[in-house]
PDB file of all heavy atoms in Angstrom:
ATOM      1  N   MET A 166       1.545  13.256  -3.368  1.00 78.00           N
ATOM      2  CA  MET A 166       1.075  11.933  -2.954  1.00 78.00           C
ATOM      3  C   MET A 166       0.715  11.061  -4.155  1.00 78.00           C
ATOM      4  O   MET A 166      -0.248  10.304  -4.137  1.00 78.00           O
ATOM      5  CB  MET A 166      -0.124  12.051  -2.006  1.00 78.00           C
ATOM      6  CG  MET A 166       0.214  12.601  -0.637  1.00 78.00           C
ATOM      7  SD  MET A 166       1.280  11.498   0.339  1.00 78.00           S
ATOM      8  CE  MET A 166       0.120  10.212   0.798  1.00 78.00           C
ATOM      9  N   LYS A 167       1.499  11.170  -5.216  1.00 86.00           N
ATOM     10  CA  LYS A 167       1.332  10.297  -6.376  1.00 86.00           C
ATOM     11  C   LYS A 167       2.434   9.235  -6.344  1.00 86.00           C
ATOM     12  O   LYS A 167       3.605   9.548  -6.149  1.00 86.00           O
ATOM     13  CB  LYS A 167       1.395  11.097  -7.679  1.00 86.00           C
ATOM     14  CG  LYS A 167       0.215  12.045  -7.884  1.00 86.00           C
ATOM     15  CD  LYS A 167       0.331  12.766  -9.210  1.00 86.00           C
ATOM     16  CE  LYS A 167      -0.823  13.742  -9.419  1.00 86.00           C
ATOM     17  NZ  LYS A 167      -2.103  13.028  -9.595  1.00 86.00           N
ATOM     18  N   VAL A 168       2.051   7.995  -6.542  1.00 86.00           N
ATOM     19  CA  VAL A 168       3.014   6.897  -6.480  1.00 86.00           C
ATOM     20  C   VAL A 168       3.984   6.995  -7.652  1.00 86.00           C
ATOM     21  O   VAL A 168       3.576   7.121  -8.803  1.00 86.00           O
ATOM     22  CB  VAL A 168       2.294   5.533  -6.519  1.00 86.00           C
ATOM     23  CG1 VAL A 168       3.309   4.400  -6.479  1.00 86.00           C
ATOM     24  CG2 VAL A 168       1.316   5.409  -5.362  1.00 86.00           C
ATOM     25  N   GLU A 169       5.282   6.937  -7.350  1.00 88.00           N
ATOM     26  CA  GLU A 169       6.307   6.926  -8.388  1.00 88.00           C
ATOM     27  C   GLU A 169       6.880   5.526  -8.585  1.00 88.00           C
ATOM     28  O   GLU A 169       7.131   5.101  -9.708  1.00 88.00           O
ATOM     29  CB  GLU A 169       7.437   7.889  -8.026  1.00 88.00           C
ATOM     30  CG  GLU A 169       7.028   9.354  -8.020  1.00 88.00           C
ATOM     31  CD  GLU A 169       8.200  10.275  -7.749  1.00 88.00           C
ATOM     32  OE1 GLU A 169       9.301   9.761  -7.430  1.00 88.00           O
ATOM     33  OE2 GLU A 169       8.034  11.503  -7.857  1.00 88.00           O
ATOM     34  N   LYS A 170       7.097   4.822  -7.481  1.00 89.00           N
ATOM     35  CA  LYS A 170       7.692   3.494  -7.558  1.00 89.00           C
ATOM     36  C   LYS A 170       7.198   2.670  -6.380  1.00 89.00           C
ATOM     37  O   LYS A 170       7.191   3.144  -5.249  1.00 89.00           O
ATOM     38  CB  LYS A 170       9.219   3.595  -7.523  1.00 89.00           C
ATOM     39  CG  LYS A 170       9.952   2.266  -7.579  1.00 89.00           C
ATOM     40  CD  LYS A 170      11.460   2.495  -7.526  1.00 89.00           C
ATOM     41  CE  LYS A 170      12.234   1.193  -7.570  1.00 89.00           C
ATOM     42  NZ  LYS A 170      13.698   1.415  -7.501  1.00 89.00           N
ATOM     43  N   ALA A 171       6.772   1.453  -6.656  1.00 89.00           N
ATOM     44  CA  ALA A 171       6.270   0.587  -5.589  1.00 89.00           C
ATOM     45  C   ALA A 171       6.814  -0.821  -5.773  1.00 89.00           C
ATOM     46  O   ALA A 171       6.861  -1.336  -6.892  1.00 89.00           O
ATOM     47  CB  ALA A 171       4.744   0.560  -5.598  1.00 89.00           C
ATOM     48  N   GLU A 172       7.241  -1.415  -4.673  1.00 89.00           N
ATOM     49  CA  GLU A 172       7.693  -2.802  -4.678  1.00 89.00           C
ATOM     50  C   GLU A 172       6.874  -3.577  -3.651  1.00 89.00           C
ATOM     51  O   GLU A 172       6.768  -3.168  -2.499  1.00 89.00           O
ATOM     52  CB  GLU A 172       9.178  -2.885  -4.334  1.00 89.00           C
ATOM     53  CG  GLU A 172      10.086  -2.210  -5.353  1.00 89.00           C
ATOM     54  CD  GLU A 172      11.551  -2.336  -4.994  1.00 89.00           C
ATOM     55  OE1 GLU A 172      12.070  -3.474  -5.043  1.00 89.00           O
ATOM     56  OE2 GLU A 172      12.169  -1.316  -4.645  1.00 89.00           O
ATOM     57  N   PHE A 173       6.297  -4.694  -4.085  1.00 89.00           N
ATOM     58  CA  PHE A 173       5.466  -5.518  -3.215  1.00 89.00           C
ATOM     59  C   PHE A 173       6.162  -6.850  -2.961  1.00 89.00           C
ATOM     60  O   PHE A 173       6.692  -7.465  -3.886  1.00 89.00           O
ATOM     61  CB  PHE A 173       4.100  -5.780  -3.859  1.00 89.00           C
ATOM     62  CG  PHE A 173       3.307  -4.529  -4.118  1.00 89.00           C
ATOM     63  CD1 PHE A 173       3.357  -3.903  -5.356  1.00 89.00           C
ATOM     64  CD2 PHE A 173       2.531  -3.972  -3.120  1.00 89.00           C
ATOM     65  CE1 PHE A 173       2.637  -2.749  -5.595  1.00 89.00           C
ATOM     66  CE2 PHE A 173       1.803  -2.814  -3.346  1.00 89.00           C
ATOM     67  CZ  PHE A 173       1.863  -2.199  -4.587  1.00 89.00           C
ATOM     68  N   PHE A 174       6.129  -7.275  -1.703  1.00 89.00           N
ATOM     69  CA  PHE A 174       6.704  -8.565  -1.341  1.00 89.00           C
ATOM     70  C   PHE A 174       5.683  -9.335  -0.507  1.00 89.00           C
ATOM     71  O   PHE A 174       5.175  -8.816   0.490  1.00 89.00           O
ATOM     72  CB  PHE A 174       8.002  -8.374  -0.549  1.00 89.00           C
ATOM     73  CG  PHE A 174       9.092  -7.698  -1.340  1.00 89.00           C
ATOM     74  CD1 PHE A 174       9.254  -6.316  -1.287  1.00 89.00           C
ATOM     75  CD2 PHE A 174       9.940  -8.435  -2.148  1.00 89.00           C
ATOM     76  CE1 PHE A 174      10.245  -5.688  -2.027  1.00 89.00           C
ATOM     77  CE2 PHE A 174      10.937  -7.820  -2.887  1.00 89.00           C
ATOM     78  CZ  PHE A 174      11.089  -6.443  -2.831  1.00 89.00           C
ATOM     79  N   TYR A 175       5.374 -10.532  -0.922  1.00 87.00           N
ATOM     80  CA  TYR A 175       4.440 -11.365  -0.173  1.00 87.00           C
ATOM     81  C   TYR A 175       4.710 -12.822  -0.522  1.00 87.00           C
ATOM     82  O   TYR A 175       5.387 -13.127  -1.511  1.00 87.00           O
ATOM     83  CB  TYR A 175       2.992 -10.992  -0.488  1.00 87.00           C
ATOM     84  CG  TYR A 175       2.499 -11.486  -1.835  1.00 87.00           C
ATOM     85  CD1 TYR A 175       1.657 -12.589  -1.926  1.00 87.00           C
ATOM     86  CD2 TYR A 175       2.883 -10.855  -3.017  1.00 87.00           C
ATOM     87  CE1 TYR A 175       1.213 -13.049  -3.153  1.00 87.00           C
ATOM     88  CE2 TYR A 175       2.447 -11.305  -4.247  1.00 87.00           C
ATOM     89  CZ  TYR A 175       1.610 -12.404  -4.315  1.00 87.00           C
ATOM     90  OH  TYR A 175       1.182 -12.865  -5.535  1.00 87.00           O
ATOM     91  N   GLU A 176       4.184 -13.723   0.308  1.00 85.00           N
ATOM     92  CA  GLU A 176       4.360 -15.151   0.082  1.00 85.00           C
ATOM     93  C   GLU A 176       3.267 -15.636  -0.861  1.00 85.00           C
ATOM     94  O   GLU A 176       2.142 -15.897  -0.447  1.00 85.00           O
ATOM     95  CB  GLU A 176       4.309 -15.907   1.416  1.00 85.00           C
ATOM     96  CG  GLU A 176       4.430 -17.420   1.294  1.00 85.00           C
ATOM     97  CD  GLU A 176       5.566 -17.857   0.396  1.00 85.00           C
ATOM     98  OE1 GLU A 176       6.735 -17.575   0.739  1.00 85.00           O
ATOM     99  OE2 GLU A 176       5.273 -18.459  -0.663  1.00 85.00           O
ATOM    100  N   ARG A 177       3.606 -15.721  -2.127  1.00 82.00           N
ATOM    101  CA  ARG A 177       2.631 -16.084  -3.153  1.00 82.00           C
ATOM    102  C   ARG A 177       2.040 -17.466  -2.909  1.00 82.00           C
ATOM    103  O   ARG A 177       0.845 -17.693  -3.091  1.00 82.00           O
ATOM    104  CB  ARG A 177       3.302 -16.032  -4.524  1.00 82.00           C
ATOM    105  CG  ARG A 177       2.384 -16.315  -5.709  1.00 82.00           C
ATOM    106  CD  ARG A 177       3.172 -16.233  -7.012  1.00 82.00           C
ATOM    107  NE  ARG A 177       2.329 -16.384  -8.176  1.00 82.00           N
ATOM    108  CZ  ARG A 177       1.975 -17.556  -8.689  1.00 82.00           C
ATOM    109  NH1 ARG A 177       2.390 -18.667  -8.121  1.00 82.00           N
ATOM    110  NH2 ARG A 177       1.201 -17.615  -9.760  1.00 82.00           N
ATOM    111  N   GLY A 178       2.893 -18.409  -2.477  1.00 79.00           N
ATOM    112  CA  GLY A 178       2.416 -19.768  -2.250  1.00 79.00           C
ATOM    113  C   GLY A 178       1.354 -19.835  -1.175  1.00 79.00           C
ATOM    114  O   GLY A 178       0.337 -20.515  -1.327  1.00 79.00           O
TER     115      GLY A 178
END
Side-chain angles (χ1 to χ4, degrees):
M166 290 294 286
K167 292 182 181 292
V168 179
E169 293 184 353
K170 179 180 180 181
E172 296 181 68
F173 299 95
F174 296 93
Y175 76 103
E176 178 48 64
R177 183 180 185 275

